[in-house]
């Protein structure tokens, strides 16, 4: 069990990482947040959140190969760790419980 709670943006970032799979790095996370979540965020905000999630043990990183399109720089890829998946599930369950029985669009599927 986790001894911390996820904020809304942390939840969205974890969901974006899960959707992206092996292609999850800062830019793609930001694009996923906009296209699927309708949330605009600066890259700085995305990276700060990823860093915070890494400090909590929710995500890990790996460094990719250098690419010509990035001037030989490497990308840092992110992956959800089991602790992050459990924290997200716990958070989503709490939302579902809170929304249960409410009329209309407030219910969480």
């Amino acid at each position: 069990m986790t001894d911390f709670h996820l904020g809304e943006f942390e939840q969205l970032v974890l969901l974006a990482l899960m959707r992206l799979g092996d292609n999850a790095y800062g830019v793609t996370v930001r694009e996923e947040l906009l296209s699927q979540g309708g949330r605009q965020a600066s890259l700085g905000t995305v990276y700060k959140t990823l860093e915070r999630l890494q400090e909590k043990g929710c995500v890990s990183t790996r460094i990719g190969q250098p690419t010509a399109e990035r001037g030989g720089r490497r990308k840092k890829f992110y992956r959800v760790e089991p602790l992050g998946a459990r924290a997200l599930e716990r958070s989503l369950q709490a939302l579902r419980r809170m929304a249960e029985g409410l009329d209309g669009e407030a219910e969480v599927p």
Side-chain angles (χ1 to χ4, degrees), residues 20-85:
L20 291 164
D22 290 339
N23 194 36
Y25 62 97
V27 172
T28 59
V29 170
R30 181 177 179 232
E31 290 169 353
E32 192 74 10
L33 290 169
L34 182 58
S35 69
Q36 297 301 315
R39 290 288 295 265
Q40 281 198 335
S42 70
L43 269 178
T45 299
V46 170
Y47 281 117
K48 194 66 169 165
T49 302
L50 288 165
E51 182 180 302
R52 192 168 52 248
L53 288 168
Q54 187 174 9
E55 289 170 0
K56 290 179 178 182
C58 293
V59 302
S60 60
T61 62
R62 69 175 171 81
I63 304 299
Q65 296 298 316
T67 60
E69 68 189 26
R70 294 177 42 86
R73 294 180 302 158
R74 299 170 184 260
K75 290 180 186 172
K76 184 186 265 190
F77 292 92
Y78 295 85
R79 182 180 85 153
V80 177
E81 290 297 321
L83 178 66

